[in-house]
Amino acid sequence: MVSPQNEYIEESIRRHGRRLDHDERKRKKEARKVHKDAAFAQKVHGLKAKLYNKKRHNEKIQMKKTLKMHDEKNAKQKNDDAVPEGAVPAYLLDREGQQRAKVLSNMLKQKRKEKAGKWNVPLPKVRGIAEDEMFRVVKTGKSKSKSWKRMVTKPTFVGDGFTRKPPKYERFIRPMALRYKKANVTHPELKATFQLPIIGVKKNPQSPMYTQLGVLTKGTIIEVNVAELGLVTTGGKVLWGKYAQVTNNPENDGCINALLLV
Amino acid sequence: MATSIYNFKRIAPVPESSDFLDIVLSKTQRKTPTVIHPGYKITRIRQFYMRKVKFTQETFDEKLRQILEEFPVLDNVHPFYADLMNVLYDKDHYKLALGQINTAKHLIDAVGKDYLRLLKFGDSLYRCKQLKRAALGRMATIMKRQKDSLSYLEQVRQHLARLPSIDPNTRTLIVCGYPNVGKSSFMNKVTRADVDVQPYAFTTKSLFVGHMDYKYLRWQVIDTPGILDHPLEERNTIEMQSITALAHLRAAVLFFVDLSEQCGYSIQDQMSLFASIKPLFANKPTLLVLSKSDVCSLDAVGAAERQLVETAVRPEEGVELAQLSSYLDTGVIETRNLACDRLLMQRVELKLKGSKVSSVLNKLNVAQPGRRDTVDRPAFIPDAVRERRGRSDDSALERDLEAAHGGAGVYNVDLKKRYLLGADEWRHDVIPEIMDGKNVADFIDSDIAERLAELEREEERLAAEGLYDSPEEESDEEESRIRDVARRIRQRKQVIAHESRIKNVNRATLTNGQKAAASAPEDFARHLQLLGLDPAAAAATAAERVGRKRPRSESRDPAAVQMARASSVAARAQSTLRDRSTMGLRNARQKSIADKKKLVSQRQRNLMARAGESDRKIGMKMPKHLVTGKRSIGSNDRR
């Protein structure tokens, strides 16, 4: 017995051809497809409908773009800057240095702006977080009657050199599961995101105590290690620590996204 | 058929990455609970979302593991398949793709683990839901990055499934040679593989396998794409498949050479290819097959070319010569048989050399009995048989007789020839037919035909004399009338039967009143006429009584009514009540005794308030109102 091998489907088509109504069936199927899709779109509901509509929406956008591209290809368009850049009328030919002066003034402006907005952060306001949301009371004592211990229920940063106090006297517990060492930091000018190690928590806007505990909430300013970015100061020194502000709710997302403050 | 030892055909389809996501996420949706409310206990909410995350991670894990397990590991398959897959799919690419899938699996596991840990600290439904969302999203992102690996693996799967199922260990003939030298034609001659044959080079682009039987054994024949004579590095994928088959399969090699040079390559080229790939034929029985012998044979080529071919043939090294023409069908089977014999011989030799054979051989013993003594013990042959052997005439076989007397269809077998009867001449006697213990022949009149003829003659004579002529038709007026009436009666009966049959049908019918309203006086008259009555009298009565019912006095004769009443009422049966209490008793004394006995027997029954003998009712044994409530010792407050 010979089982079909290699390109047996193509071979069969080559030898015997397709069925006689193949093309017609294909054409009809294609013609009916729009109707079938419409029927499906009307029938579908729930999550499937949501997904389907999203997909259809994207397809339509793509279709419109394609059509527009074809239109553009065919239509003649007015060209506004037909004059090439850098072309100067004859009476201005002897003026020079304009470009350079512009650059200088731009730099000055930039510098001034930087100084003025040094403490301007992307998220100037944050939602207040009450203590009972931040901490969970841990009951201690033989009959669990004491409740002076607290467990932090938000992500925290705990430095490398941290040593726990004897557990008996430890007031604040920062669970291992909620400790983070890295943050996804976006450089606003490079428009690129890097995963950088956290050096420390500079300030938690909620309270200085949270800063001390290293709690990471939305709006917290953290210091990140930018050594791998290879940033250099104007003086030529290599930068390695830079501030960044947390822009997401780490306790909801399970990761820390931050924006580099430049 | 010899099935492949590998399940390349049974690898499950690999979905695209987007489909993959749909499959997994919809499975999560289907198989985990979907209803949760913020009012539920937080542990329940956490458990609900942790289950979702865990389930998704496990589903991903399971699906990816299935891919990893089903695709063959190149180091574990037969080197032939490993090499073939390397040629076709590029080993590095293949391993990389599987490696990436493995990495994705680990990443997803890690994500699942992380988020389960975070979910344990979730303190609201919203937070838990966000964490679940983030977890599933990250798993989906990891899967989306596997798009290329998955599509590559799907292609590999499809191609693998279409590979011919070659068993690398069985008896195999490999057909190889330059393109267009007649490899596939030979293949089609010896097997049923139906490989495409075309008059241009590289018609066969991949390995094809066909099967055949020889010496009651199953053989596989492998048709390979043509090979050109150039260094290994320059060979393309198509040629490399042939090289792979030649290198790894222990088989008989049939190297095809086209002496006619119709293939477009000179004999020198073909022989130099033979020389260059000769290392691949080492330890394999090889046949140098000169194909297309109908066009050009070895004698017809030039001396130099002939010299080339003849030097290549070395029977002591296992290289032999064969000629065939697939067009004329000459030498094909001989070539095949030669190759098969050589391979079989080699395989047996190899087996004998191997270590396994001794474990079988020491269990085998071929007994060769020696002579016990000098007594002669010949086989017993009955005298009759011995006698028969001497006779020549009788020993002739039926087959020979048939050939001698005109062959099949003409010669009739004589079944009675060897009947054992009292005398030999009786053999061909007619056998009497016996019925009910009597010989049929005894009851046959010898002159029956004669007597029949005589009877017929008499009949003819009588007919001629007019004995059978029917008598004159006597037309009797009376009889014809009777017949006519009878006919009409029969007709009428049929009509009535038919009408009653129609009437029995279960459907709405007219009531008598409706029928009367619908019928006209003419119908009534016709009906009367049909019954043979005079409708005139009826019409007269009808005319006389317009709009008036028939009075009771008119309807029936009073005397007749009286008579009818008298005949219908019979004398009423009178029954009297009798006192059964005294029945069977002789006197008053007996009766008083019986009454007493009756009272005694009824006493118990009356005590128990029974209605009668048959009253066996058992009422409630512990009525609740009597047994519940306060007790005297004060343990309960009421009874």
Side-chain angles (χ1 to χ4, degrees):
Chain A
M1 202 188 79
V2 179
S3 57
Q5 43 188 330
N6 300 322
E7 305 280 317
Y8 60 91
I9 297 173
E10 291 79 359
E11 181 69 14
S12 166
I13 292 171
R14 200 180 61 73
R15 281 188 191 174
H16 312 294
R18 293 182 186 278
R19 47 188 298 171
L20 293 175
D21 56 350
H22 173 261
D23 286 325
E24 196 184 355
R25 275 157 60 97
K26 214 171 145 189
R27 177 183 64 74
K28 282 187 174 171
K29 201 170 187 183
E30 207 173 330
R32 282 180 199 129
K33 191 172 176 287
V34 280
H35 297 284
K36 280 192 101 165
D37 284 355
F40 177 73
Q42 292 205 324
K43 200 187 74 170
V44 72
H45 62 94
L47 180 64
K48 284 246 169 75
K50 206 168 156 186
L51 293 172
Y52 178 78
N53 288 337
K54 182 88 195 304
K55 193 176 129 238
R56 189 77 192 122
H57 183 236
N58 286 340
E59 278 173 9
K60 278 189 175 169
I61 290 174
Q62 215 52 45
M63 211 150 43
K64 286 210 168 134
K65 275 187 181 167
T66 320
L67 288 178
K68 201 172 178 194
M69 262 176 0
H70 281 282
D71 287 348
E72 277 175 4
K73 199 169 71 181
N74 299 334
K76 277 182 188 168
Q77 278 181 330
K78 200 170 69 177
N79 194 353
D80 284 337
D81 44 16
V83 184
E85 208 179 340
V88 178
Y91 58 89
L92 285 181
L93 272 177
D94 55 340
R95 298 225 180 153
E96 231 184 49
Q98 185 74 10
Q99 206 80 355
R100 176 111 186 96
K102 191 96 178 168
V103 168
L104 266 178
S105 83
N106 273 352
M107 266 176 73
L108 273 176
K109 268 187 202 162
Q110 185 72 19
K111 225 166 207 179
R112 216 173 289 148
K113 204 172 150 196
E114 271 173 14
K115 224 170 212 172
K118 189 150 195 187
W119 303 108
N120 272 358
V121 289
L123 295 174
K125 274 186 182 172
V126 292
R127 183 180 68 97
I129 297 175
E131 286 225 339
D132 62 338
E133 193 191 331
M134 183 70 84
F135 300 121
R136 190 192 297 169
V137 177
V138 180
K139 294 201 169 170
T140 50
K142 193 169 182 184
S143 54
K144 301 286 171 211
S145 56
K146 300 186 171 111
S147 49
W148 51 267
K149 243 183 203 221
R150 298 284 180 271
M151 184 162 74
V152 183
T153 58
K154 300 275 178 222
T156 52
F157 170 75
V158 179
D160 275 336
F162 174 73
T163 320
R164 284 176 74 182
K165 290 207 178 74
K168 192 174 173 185
Y169 304 111
E170 192 179 33
R171 176 133 194 250
F172 293 106
I173 304 169
R174 295 177 285 185
M176 284 304 288
L178 295 177
R179 292 188 190 179
Y180 285 83
K181 293 211 172 299
K182 297 214 167 176
N184 306 318
V185 182
T186 308
H187 194 294
E189 283 160 16
L190 297 177
K191 296 266 190 297
T193 304
F194 308 92
Q195 194 169 46
L196 301 174
I198 303 171
I199 299 173
V201 175
K202 168 77 177 161
K203 186 176 176 65
N204 187 320
Q206 310 279 353
S207 123
M209 188 178 73
Y210 296 164
T211 313
Q212 212 171 6
L213 283 171
V215 178
L216 301 166
T217 53
K218 190 170 180 175
T220 308
I221 309 288
I222 53 173
E223 193 173 7
V224 289
N225 187 350
V226 289
E228 65 178 85
L229 262 61
L231 294 180
V232 184
T233 58
T234 40
K237 276 188 275 181
V238 176
L239 270 174
W240 67 280
K242 236 173 159 7
Y243 293 127
Q245 190 179 31
V246 176
T247 53
N248 70 332
N249 278 315
E251 70 270 24
N252 286 353
D253 297 346
C255 65
I256 296 163
N257 298 339
L259 194 67
L260 205 64
L261 304 177
V262 284
Chain B
M1 79 172 271
T3 50
S4 171
I5 47 176
Y6 304 112
N7 61 350
F8 294 156
K9 292 198 196 304
R10 270 175 286 162
I11 303 174
V14 182
E16 281 174 40
S17 67
S18 59
D19 290 345
F20 206 108
L21 283 183
D22 285 352
I23 291 166
V24 172
L25 294 182
S26 69
K27 188 173 179 191
T28 305
Q29 182 71 5
R30 276 183 290 121
K31 302 273 181 174
T32 54
T34 51
V35 179
I36 191 85
H37 296 293
Y40 288 170
K41 226 178 178 181
I42 187 67
T43 46
R44 184 174 170 187
I45 296 173
R46 272 187 214 137
Q47 189 268 341
F48 174 87
Y49 284 110
M50 280 163 83
R51 185 167 171 187
K52 285 208 178 264
V53 171
K54 185 78 187 151
F55 187 87
T56 315
Q57 178 241 313
E58 274 173 358
T59 316
F60 268 120
D61 190 61
E62 180 194 325
K63 296 258 169 214
L64 293 174
R65 189 194 304 275
Q66 191 199 15
I67 293 176
L68 290 171
E69 275 168 6
E70 280 187 341
F71 274 86
V73 180
L74 289 188
D75 300 334
N76 296 350
V77 294
H78 190 276
F80 164 67
Y81 274 116
D83 238 11
L84 191 63
M85 284 168 71
N86 181 22
V87 166
L88 292 170
Y89 318 126
D90 186 17
K91 187 162 72 182
D92 295 342
H93 198 163
Y94 182 77
K95 282 190 170 174
L96 214 63
L98 286 181
Q100 276 177 340
I101 297 292
N102 195 23
T103 315
K105 185 171 77 97
H106 286 307
L107 284 176
I108 285 175
D109 286 356
V111 166
K113 212 175 109 201
D114 279 355
Y115 276 84
L116 283 185
R117 222 165 48 187
L118 289 176
L119 270 167
K120 285 179 188 160
F121 294 93
D123 51 4
S124 64
L125 183 133
Y126 173 70
R127 189 147 295 155
C128 291
K129 184 173 178 176
Q130 289 302 101
L131 282 171
K132 178 217 75 171
R133 219 175 142 225
L136 264 55
R138 280 182 66 178
M139 290 178 195
T141 312
I142 293 167
M143 258 345 275
K144 266 186 207 154
R145 292 207 196 105
Q146 301 308 315
K147 195 176 155 222
D148 294 337
S149 304
L150 289 175
S151 59
Y152 166 77
L153 285 176
E154 172 63 10
Q155 280 173 352
V156 167
R157 182 195 72 82
Q158 285 178 357
H159 199 277
L160 262 183
R162 289 178 177 202
L163 277 187
S165 45
I166 295 170
D167 184 353
N169 300 318
T170 190
R171 298 160 291 273
T172 311
L173 306 184
I174 297 182
V175 185
C176 67
Y178 252 86
N180 214 13
V181 292
K183 299 185 292 295
S184 297
S185 305
F186 172 75
M187 173 87 170
N188 285 346
K189 281 286 169 205
V190 296
T191 71
R192 290 181 48 215
D194 194 17
V195 184
D196 191 29
V197 176
Q198 296 292 342
Y200 49 78
F202 290 113
T203 309
T204 309
K205 291 192 206 63
S206 47
L207 299 179
F208 278 89
V209 69
H211 295 91
M212 61 172 197
D213 280 345
Y214 177 64
K215 287 198 169 168
Y216 306 107
L217 292 169
R218 180 49 64 92
W219 297 70
Q220 68 182 4
V221 184
I222 298 177
D223 186 18
T224 64
I227 321 172
L228 298 176
D229 184 22
H230 49 202
L232 191 66
E233 294 79 44
E234 290 172 22
R235 294 197 186 283
N236 60 17
T237 311
I238 298 177
E239 290 173 280
M240 279 308 287
Q241 292 179 50
S242 315
I243 299 292
T244 309
L246 284 171
H248 290 292
L249 299 178
R250 218 174 60 198
V253 179
L254 283 80
F255 186 86
F256 273 59
V257 175
D258 180 9
L259 289 183
S260 68
E261 299 183 357
Q262 277 178 344
C263 60
Y265 303 98
S266 64
I267 298 176
Q268 282 92 340
D269 283 348
Q270 298 183 43
M271 292 318 294
S272 76
L273 171 69
F274 181 76
S276 65
I277 62 170
K278 200 152 181 222
L280 296 174
F281 304 156
N283 299 326
K284 287 174 197 160
T286 309
L287 245 61
L288 196 63
V289 181
L290 309 178
S291 64
K292 307 186 189 174
S293 67
D294 51 309
V295 183
C296 181
S297 68
L298 190 56
D299 306 327
V301 298
E305 281 89 356
R306 196 151 133 203
Q307 178 69 18
L308 268 176
V309 173
E310 276 165 0
T311 48
V313 176
R314 284 185 186 160
E316 70 278 6
E317 284 179 20
V319 182
E320 293 185 47
L321 192 70
Q323 292 203 32
L324 65 84
S325 161
S326 301
Y327 179 65
L328 292 180
D329 232 350
T330 53
V332 175
I333 295 303
E334 289 79 356
T335 309
R336 182 201 78 174
N337 292 356
L338 184 63
C340 291
D341 287 339
R342 291 289 174 271
L343 182 65
L344 210 55
M345 218 153 71
Q346 199 205 24
R347 284 172 72 94
V348 170
E349 265 172 31
L350 267 178
K351 267 188 191 152
L352 283 176
K353 272 183 208 159
S355 56
K356 271 186 197 160
V357 74
S358 61
S359 64
V360 178
L361 272 187
N362 60 19
K363 287 179 204 157
L364 286 178
N365 179 32
V366 182
Q368 286 181 327
R371 211 174 160 76
R372 188 171 64 177
D373 48 29
T374 53
V375 180
D376 200 22
R377 295 186 182 83
F380 169 73
I381 302 168
D383 288 342
V385 175
R386 198 189 301 274
E387 197 181 318
R388 274 257 302 276
R389 277 190 180 168
R391 284 214 310 259
S392 60
D393 57 333
D394 207 34
S395 63
L397 293 174
E398 277 301 325
R399 200 169 59 176
D400 301 333
L401 285 176
E402 182 188 324
H405 293 89
V410 179
Y411 174 68
N412 217 354
V413 183
D414 186 5
L415 295 171
K416 296 178 176 175
K417 199 160 65 178
R418 291 185 214 281
Y419 276 9
L420 299 173
L421 300 173
D424 283 353
E425 65 268 21
W426 293 352
R427 275 179 186 157
H428 294 280
D429 285 355
V430 178
I431 300 169
E433 264 183 271
I434 306 292
M435 195 182 195
D436 299 335
K438 286 165 183 138
N439 192 346
V440 174
D442 293 347
F443 296 88
I444 289 175
D445 281 338
S446 53
D447 55 347
I448 190 155
E450 201 177 299
R451 285 166 62 184
L452 185 67
E454 194 181 324
L455 259 179
E456 279 174 357
R457 275 199 301 280
E458 193 183 339
E459 279 300 302
E460 273 173 26
R461 184 177 53 80
L462 286 174
E465 283 171 4
L467 183 66
Y468 299 120
D469 288 349
S470 53
E472 280 296 292
E473 202 65 23
E474 286 173 26
S475 56
D476 192 347
E477 201 66 20
E478 181 68 6
E479 194 183 330
S480 74
R481 203 180 57 78
I482 289 170
R483 278 182 191 283
D484 187 42
V485 169
R487 184 179 53 78
R488 272 163 57 197
I489 288 171
R490 274 199 298 275
Q491 268 181 355
R492 183 64 197 149
K493 269 186 174 173
Q494 273 178 350
V495 168
I496 287 167
H498 185 65
E499 273 171 359
S500 87
R501 226 173 284 139
I502 287 172
K503 219 185 282 174
N504 273 344
V505 171
N506 183 16
R507 64 160 178 244
T509 47
L510 292 179
T511 60
N512 284 340
Q514 286 168 328
K515 266 185 214 162
S519 66
E522 293 82 55
D523 292 336
F524 183 55
R526 203 178 305 130
H527 182 67
L528 286 178
Q529 225 160 12
L530 268 176
L531 292 176
L533 297 172
D534 183 17
T541 322
E544 177 188 316
R545 203 196 305 135
V546 172
R548 188 167 58 91
K549 273 187 174 179
R550 176 171 56 187
R552 204 176 182 83
S553 58
E554 262 178 42
S555 63
R556 283 172 103 184
D557 185 18
V561 171
Q562 186 72 38
M563 236 174 71
R565 175 68 51 84
S567 67
S568 75
V569 179
R572 176 170 282 168
Q574 302 284 324
S575 70
T576 53
L577 287 169
R578 284 182 293 175
D579 183 13
R580 286 175 197 246
S581 62
T582 55
M583 282 172 78
L585 298 175
R586 244 177 244 153
N587 48 30
R589 194 170 149 267
Q590 272 188 346
K591 175 147 189 339
S592 74
I593 290 169
D595 283 346
K596 263 182 199 159
K597 278 193 172 171
K598 189 176 120 193
L599 281 176
V600 168
S601 74
Q602 284 180 344
R603 188 180 294 158
Q604 185 63 27
R605 204 203 297 165
N606 291 344
L607 268 176
M608 294 178 77
R610 293 296 185 199
E613 271 178 302
S614 61
D615 184 4
R616 281 149 202 254
K617 188 184 176 229
I618 298 173
M620 205 183 289
K621 280 194 167 163
M622 285 177 78
K624 195 160 191 182
H625 68 281
L626 292 180
V627 294
T628 52
K630 192 175 174 182
R631 309 228 177 106
S632 59
I633 49 171
S635 57
N636 287 352
D637 57 355
R638 60 173 279 279
R639 172 141 200 166

